[in-house]
Amino acid sequence: MKLILTGGRVVDPSLNIDAVLDISIEDGKIAGIGPDIPKEPAKSRKGMQTNVKTIHLGGMIVVPGLIDMHVHLREPGFEYKETIETGSRAAAAGGFTSVACMPNTNPVNDSRSITEFIKKKAALCGLVNVYPIAAVSIGSAGTNLTDFRDLRDAGAVGFSDDGKPVANSALMRRALEYASSISLPVISHCEDTLLSAGGVMNEGFAATELGLQGIPAIAEDVMTVRDIMIAAYTGAAVHIAHVSTAGSVDIIREAKKRGIRVTAETAPHYFTLTEESLREYDTFYKVNPPLRTKEDVAAVKEGLRDDTIDVIASDHAPHAATDKEVEFDLASSGMVGLETSLALSLSLVSDGVLTLPQLIQKMSAWPAKVLNIPKGTLRIGADADITVIDTKKTWTVDRMQFRSRSRNSPFHGRQMTGRAILTIKGGKITYSDNQDNT
Amino acid sequence: MENKKVVMDADGIDRSLTRIAYEIIEKNKGVTELVLVGIRTGGVFLAERLQKKILKIEGVEIPMGILDITLYRDDLQKNPKKPLLGKTDIPFSLDNKKVILVDDVLFTGRTIRAAMDALIDFGRPKMIQLSVLIDRGHRELPIRADFVGKNLPSSLWEAVAVHLTEKTGTDEVVIEGTV
Amino acid sequence: MKLAKKDLLGIQDLSVEEINLILDTAESFIEVSTREIKKVPTLRGKTIINLFLEASTRTRTSFEIAGKRLSADTINISSSTSSIVKGETLIDTAKNLEAMNPDVVVIRHSAAGAPHILAKAVKQAVINAGDGSHEHPTQALLDLMTIRSKKGKIDGLKVAICGDIAHSRVARSNIYALTKMGASVAVAGPATMMPRYIERMGVQAYSKLEEAIIDADIVMMLRIQLERQNEHIFPSLREYATYFGLNRKNISLAKKDVLVMHPGPVNRGVELAPDIADAPFSVILDQVTNGVAVRMALLYLLTGGN
């Protein structure tokens, strides 16, 4: 079976391509890319059996399969929020061909057996490449390192105690050193939990008026500084997760200038929403780190623009109604993001913050680079992971239509522009808005 | 079509009140144990006037209180707009007193029912008598006035309004109605 | 007249006209509580649920008395444990209460915004009896009423609010209420007790008690919550009482006819020197009396008539 994508505008920053080209796919790999891929014979359009399927993509954008390097698939342990299968479906529908899932499951992914379980379930489902991130410390308890090498051999592509910081600086130092020696990243959730203790939203004027306990920006910033200092000292690499503050953006920018091995990601809600969204005590807006001020939003955008922030990742955090239909103080933090991430990120292009190739780079080539995985490119011979985007399609977010098991999106009802219309993973169509293609 | 008819002028009102004052004194054989309670808002001004007239006739200023019956109304649950609550001020005991309850217009009797319930919450009067300037009929409860300024048979579609100088600058009773 | 809203969630949502309506109505209710028979039939057949999910004696009692004096059936649900402990969400609790068809739900909760979540979930009127560090609207209304009855006005007065502003719902509601009614408000407390950007609420902020008190017509002292010491917001009670307690000496900086207020319960010898709490210029008990009237007024204004 051969698949030919024809007539689309191919944008692949990894190959420095931005042109109308055809792509042919054979045996799950990119077989050819160029202006003159032989077309199928005309008769096959009448529905005759053929071993060549051509999809005409005039006006569409064809990019390397998108990668979301920060999602919570909740399995094992929290299957009522999400499973690897529902999360995979959400990812495919959102245009993603690969995701990296955080280890804060139950039990925590701190062992070969959990990592293998995730890989196996994901392969069985087959809709998306799932790359497990394993815990830095056993049980993410912040005391003892997990078996990094064993976890790598089981399929883990990075380490993080996400959801919690690695509070112990000595442990963080050793984690960075050890991970660096096997060329895997440590993804740091930067939060000084003593500074953020009791906090449920950004510490600012909105929190003052709402009477909610604040999480100061410095709770994030001091840990960003610490991790960068450790990275500088050890020469190891660190990846800063979900950057939300102007301060952290500045710190990371300066660190990069000094040649420190730091990469960073942010999530769409940190360049889309502010603390003002919490005025109605809507728990769907409760995330950690919290939504910040409009100055922070501007700084995050600037960080994306000047590549201080390398990656956009959704921090897809599904929660059931029971986790959210409670007092703001008690509600779980997080929002689902896989199915809205691309559209929210495309607004960076329409707003002139990023060019389309820059955006695609932050959602494909660069997360692949951070995770050191052979993805995010349409190079001949690479796995045929491809996302086709209609950047002009307008649609309205309907949380009841989500493939995710959870519905906790504050973007419900919001008009969006642009979405994935076709997702191909390993040459196989995993999502299409056109029934004829599936 | 709207029309407005004056059925009682300032002199008429004053004459009626003078007569009522005499009737009150006569019926109660003097003013001993007599107190006036005016129902907000029209009844208050009339009670004040009766108090002055009785003072003039008998040389005694009988106590006068103000009653707001809002909290005792039977239509609070039905009425989407909350009536503005006025102050009640009855600075004396009603126990064993003869209470002259004063209102401007007697119509369905529901206001008087509310007023009597309220008064009884204040104590145990020896007697309650009712004085009104206008009785326009259409009773919905078995209530009768002891002292009436003028009986004014009216249609249900008409509105009877008592204007008093204390409030509107003129003394007159008018029938306003759209027929 | 009627409030233009289903619920009373905070002073922030009220207009000056609405505040005046509530205060005028409350003043008429004062008299009811002085009668021999302190009960009027106004809310006969109405059901009021007092859902107190945070310990409170005086506010709950005040609401209960207010409801009973209006002849409503008041049901108290008191629990210091949150609904989540029972495995039930706040929305579940709300829907269960709604199914019993009360007319008003009064809620006190340790979490800011809980009344707002409840109000969205039920069709009945919801009154906020204090939510976390957010608002305590009935307290601010009774404070306004006390000030108005003692001073004859609110407009143009200078009010100092002193103590742990950051954690005080009384402070927030009073800042909204007093500034709306034309008073100028100064807040005072150690920097650790000042929420960020408090000046944006239209107040002057001071880290020295004396500076806020100078020429004040009203000094409102907040209760210091002793357990907050664990959050490092004050070093010791002794230090706090010395530098942020109201006493004979610093009160002399205020106007001669100053009134001292406190939402209660008072920590005698901490925020208020013992003799200050009992001084003639202390109106703490008038506040309590007016509290019943304000709550009667709100129950009256928020019930009935669809």
Side-chain angles (χ1 to χ4, degrees):
Chain A
M1 171 84 186
K2 187 172 171 181
L3 189 61
I4 294 177
L5 307 179
T6 177
R9 172 183 160 200
V10 177
V11 176
D12 182 354
S14 80
L15 301 175
N16 218 3
I17 288 176
D18 182 355
V20 176
L21 297 172
D22 298 338
I23 296 172
S24 70
I25 299 159
E26 260 174 286
D27 301 326
K29 305 279 185 195
I30 307 280
I33 178 164
D36 48 5
I37 303 286
K39 304 291 185 298
E40 62 193 293
K43 57 178 178 171
S44 71
R45 270 200 251 132
K46 302 212 161 56
M48 289 177 63
Q49 280 299 321
T50 173
N51 62 346
V52 179
K53 183 180 171 71
T54 302
I55 301 175
H56 297 275
L57 297 171
M60 300 295 124
I61 311 290
V62 181
V63 303
L66 300 180
I67 301 167
D68 190 336
M69 67 169 287
H70 194 136
V71 304
H72 297 270
L73 295 181
R74 304 297 188 207
E75 191 177 351
F78 304 104
E79 292 83 357
Y80 72 100
K81 296 174 193 257
E82 191 83 285
T83 62
I84 289 165
E85 191 193 338
T86 56
S88 294
R89 272 197 241 131
F96 295 95
T97 55
S98 298
V99 300
C101 60
M102 288 296 161
N104 58 341
T105 47
N106 185 22
V108 166
N109 181 13
D110 57 5
S111 69
R112 170 180 276 271
S113 60
I114 305 288
T115 301
E116 284 173 345
F117 165 81
I118 292 167
K119 295 282 290 180
K120 209 160 85 191
K121 284 284 282 218
L124 217 59
C125 171
L127 288 171
V128 61
N129 303 300
V130 174
Y131 294 98
I133 306 292
V136 166
S137 61
I138 293 169
S140 284
T143 317
N144 298 305
L145 289 183
T146 55
D147 296 343
F148 280 21
R149 283 184 156 84
D150 193 37
L151 285 159
R152 175 201 58 188
D153 293 345
V157 296
F159 301 95
S160 180
D161 278 349
D162 185 60
K164 301 184 212 177
V166 177
N168 181 329
S169 302
L171 185 76
M172 190 60 167
R173 173 205 169 161
R174 297 308 182 196
L176 285 189
E177 287 173 337
Y178 199 88
S180 198
S181 72
I182 55 171
S183 298
L184 290 192
V186 171
I187 299 166
S188 178
H189 169 117
C190 290
E191 177 183 356
D192 181 325
T193 54
L194 291 172
L195 279 172
S196 65
V200 293
M201 71 174 289
N202 183 52
E203 184 172 291
F205 183 58
T208 291
E209 286 212 308
L210 290 166
L212 290 171
Q213 182 90 17
I215 299 174
I218 52 166
E220 179 170 334
D221 299 347
V222 297
M223 283 301 247
T224 306
V225 169
R226 185 203 69 171
D227 289 347
I228 285 172
M229 297 303 283
I230 295 173
Y233 180 74
T234 57
V238 66
H239 178 80
I240 309 296
H242 41 58
V243 172
S244 74
T245 66
S248 285
V249 174
D250 283 346
I251 294 157
I252 295 162
R253 182 180 293 120
E254 179 61 24
K256 286 189 164 187
K257 229 182 270 172
R258 295 188 189 187
I260 299 166
R261 294 175 62 201
V262 56
T263 52
E265 77 191 30
T266 192
H269 41 275
Y270 299 119
F271 57 74
T272 309
L273 301 171
T274 69
E275 59 181 6
E276 290 299 320
S277 307
L278 279 76
R279 289 284 178 187
E280 300 290 310
Y281 295 98
D282 185 342
T283 57
F284 280 4
Y285 290 95
K286 185 178 178 184
V287 283
N288 188 27
L291 301 176
R292 306 283 187 184
T293 65
K294 61 177 194 296
E295 290 77 18
D296 293 298
V297 166
V300 166
K301 284 184 178 175
E302 179 55 25
L304 284 163
R305 201 194 57 75
D306 71 5
D307 291 340
T308 299
I309 299 173
D310 309 85
V311 171
I312 294 171
S314 71
D315 197 1
H316 176 78
H319 287 296
T322 46
D323 304 317
K324 286 289 192 182
E325 285 181 355
V326 293
E327 297 81 340
F328 198 91
D329 283 349
L330 304 172
S332 300
S333 291
M335 56 176 81
V336 289
L338 278 167
E339 290 167 81
T340 50
S341 181
L342 177 58
L344 292 168
S345 301
L346 281 167
S347 72
L348 294 171
V349 176
S350 51
D351 293 348
V353 178
L354 298 177
T355 63
L356 186 63
Q358 281 177 313
L359 175 68
I360 298 308
Q361 195 162 38
K362 289 177 193 296
M363 298 183 80
S364 60
W366 282 353
K369 197 170 143 200
V370 171
L371 297 175
N372 206 7
I373 55 174
K375 295 286 179 185
T377 179
L378 298 173
R379 185 170 23 83
I380 291 171
D383 291 340
D385 291 356
I386 299 170
T387 303
V388 180
I389 302 166
D390 181 346
T391 53
K392 297 192 179 64
K393 190 183 179 106
T394 59
W395 57 291
T396 304
V397 180
D398 178 356
R399 63 199 189 98
M400 299 320 286
Q401 300 296 319
F402 283 159
R403 275 77 173 170
S404 170
R405 176 159 283 184
S406 288
R407 311 263 172 254
N408 54 310
S409 171
F411 298 109
H412 176 67
R414 188 188 267 235
Q415 177 107 6
M416 302 270 194
T417 303
R419 63 170 301 148
I421 55 155
L422 182 65
T423 311
I424 298 168
K425 183 216 139 198
K428 211 181 84 200
I429 293 171
T430 53
Y431 170 78
S432 170
D433 73 342
N434 179 351
Q435 292 302 317
D436 298 345
N437 288 333
T438 47
Chain B
M1 201 188 115
E2 183 146 349
N3 49 38
K4 177 179 152 178
K5 198 170 85 189
V6 177
V7 291
M8 215 174 183
D9 60 11
D11 288 344
I13 290 173
D14 191 59
R15 279 194 288 270
S16 285
L17 288 174
T18 306
R19 174 174 51 78
I20 289 172
Y22 276 108
E23 283 176 4
I24 289 170
I25 298 162
E26 184 187 10
K27 178 165 175 151
N28 293 288
K29 299 185 177 69
V31 295
T32 326
E33 296 172 340
L34 224 52
V35 299
L36 288 159
V37 172
I39 298 174
R40 264 188 197 279
T41 51
V44 176
F45 306 124
L46 295 174
E48 280 167 353
R49 293 190 194 186
L50 285 172
Q51 186 187 36
K52 282 192 196 119
K53 287 192 185 294
I54 290 168
L55 171 65
K56 218 164 156 189
I57 299 162
E58 290 287 298
V60 179
E61 188 179 79
I62 64 172
M64 196 214 117
I66 297 169
L67 182 64
D68 185 287
I69 57 101
T70 307
L71 298 172
Y72 289 81
R73 284 171 67 145
D74 59 7
D75 60 350
L76 281 175
Q77 313 308 330
K78 306 264 182 322
N79 193 346
K81 280 192 187 282
K82 286 287 173 175
L84 200 58
L85 185 60
K87 272 192 192 126
T88 291
D89 184 17
I90 304 178
F92 45 81
S93 166
L94 295 182
D95 286 344
N96 296 314
K97 293 284 171 14
K98 295 176 187 170
V99 177
I100 311 295
L101 194 56
V102 184
D103 202 1
D104 47 6
V105 180
L106 176 58
F107 183 26
T108 61
R110 287 179 189 272
T111 299
I112 305 306
R113 193 283 308 163
M116 288 194 292
D117 279 355
L119 285 179
I120 282 162
D121 278 356
F122 277 87
R124 188 178 184 280
K126 180 181 271 175
M127 186 184 275
I128 300 176
Q129 296 166 9
L130 176 61
S131 164
V132 296
L133 186 61
I134 302 291
D135 182 348
R136 61 172 290 194
H138 303 292
R139 215 74 78 241
E140 292 169 6
L141 294 172
I143 281 167
R144 176 189 61 75
D146 298 272
F147 313 102
V148 178
K150 186 180 178 70
N151 281 298
L152 190 63
S154 61
S155 135
L156 272 174
W157 296 277
E158 293 170 323
V160 176
V162 175
H163 298 303
L164 297 171
T165 44
E166 293 92 328
K167 206 174 166 189
T168 58
T170 52
D171 268 5
E172 60 178 15
V173 178
V174 297
I175 294 183
E176 294 158 336
T178 44
V179 185
Chain C
M1 284 287 277
K2 198 179 178 217
L3 290 179
K5 35 186 69 71
K6 172 174 92 74
D7 314 295
L8 177 75
L9 300 178
I11 301 289
Q12 197 177 14
D13 323 318
L14 291 181
S15 66
V16 171
E17 293 69 33
E18 287 174 314
I19 291 173
N20 278 321
L21 169 66
I22 295 166
L23 296 184
D24 292 344
T25 307
E27 252 164 45
S28 297
F29 271 114
I30 281 280
E31 176 267 336
V32 174
S33 293
T34 63
R35 296 181 191 175
E36 193 119 326
I37 296 173
K38 302 173 194 58
K39 199 179 185 80
V40 289
T42 317
L43 298 188
R44 206 157 48 91
K46 297 279 176 191
T47 306
I48 299 167
I49 294 181
N50 291 324
L51 180 64
F52 276 62
L53 298 175
E54 182 189 59
S56 156
T57 308
R58 75 180 59 205
T59 304
R60 185 184 53 69
T61 307
S62 183
F63 266 107
E64 190 176 354
I65 287 177
K68 289 195 158 141
R69 287 194 180 156
L70 289 168
S71 300
D73 295 306
T74 59
I75 286 95
N76 295 318
I77 303 172
S78 293
S79 162
S80 53
T81 56
S82 150
S83 55
I84 206 167
V85 176
K86 295 177 289 183
E88 190 181 74
T89 69
L90 186 61
I91 303 290
D92 289 334
T93 308
K95 289 291 170 198
N96 272 284
L97 293 178
E98 185 178 38
M100 293 182 243
N101 206 21
D103 298 280
V104 181
V105 180
V106 177
I107 179 173
R108 155 72 61 99
H109 201 298
S110 57
H116 305 67
I117 295 170
L118 186 73
K120 259 186 228 163
V122 302
K123 59 179 185 289
Q124 287 86 3
V126 172
I127 298 179
N128 180 0
D131 64 323
S133 305
H134 179 227
E135 280 228 45
H136 192 350
T138 58
Q139 176 72 40
L141 289 165
L142 72 88
D143 288 339
L144 287 184
M145 189 179 168
T146 307
I147 294 170
R148 201 173 79 162
S149 70
K150 295 283 173 186
K151 295 284 185 192
K153 59 166 189 177
I154 298 165
D155 187 38
L157 294 181
K158 190 185 167 195
V159 184
I161 304 176
C162 312
D164 186 359
I165 308 296
H167 294 99
S168 176
R169 53 188 170 220
V170 174
R172 280 175 182 75
S173 285
N174 265 304
I175 289 169
Y176 291 129
L178 289 161
T179 53
K180 274 179 203 234
M181 303 307 282
S184 76
V185 179
V187 295
T192 47
M193 295 183 182
M194 280 297 157
R196 308 258 309 163
Y197 311 118
I198 181 74
E199 319 76 38
R200 286 199 213 161
M201 289 180 79
V203 302
Q204 291 282 334
Y206 298 97
S207 57
K208 205 161 176 260
L209 183 67
E210 287 74 13
E211 288 173 347
I213 292 180
I214 290 172
D215 287 333
D217 297 283
I218 313 284
V219 177
M220 198 178 278
M221 299 304 292
L222 301 174
R223 175 180 168 79
I224 188 83
Q225 287 170 286
L226 307 180
E227 62 275 17
R228 296 272 178 212
Q229 201 171 349
N230 303 331
E231 294 171 24
H232 322 293
I233 62 171
F234 63 103
S236 70
L237 275 185
R238 182 178 156 277
E239 161 133 336
Y240 185 81
T242 309
Y243 294 96
F244 291 95
L246 194 65
N247 54 45
R248 283 278 172 198
K249 191 158 162 259
N250 53 27
I251 192 75
S252 67
L253 293 167
K255 289 224 178 85
K256 274 206 183 67
D257 58 349
V258 67
L259 298 179
V260 172
M261 304 177 78
H262 191 294
V266 176
N267 292 308
R268 280 172 184 266
V270 184
E271 65 265 6
L272 283 186
D275 57 338
I276 295 281
D278 304 321
F281 49 75
S282 156
V283 292
I284 296 171
L285 295 177
D286 301 84
Q287 290 173 268
V288 177
T289 304
N290 291 337
V292 174
V294 156
R295 287 163 184 133
M296 286 173 83
L298 286 168
L299 292 173
Y300 169 71
L301 290 169
L302 288 171
T303 49
N306 305 309

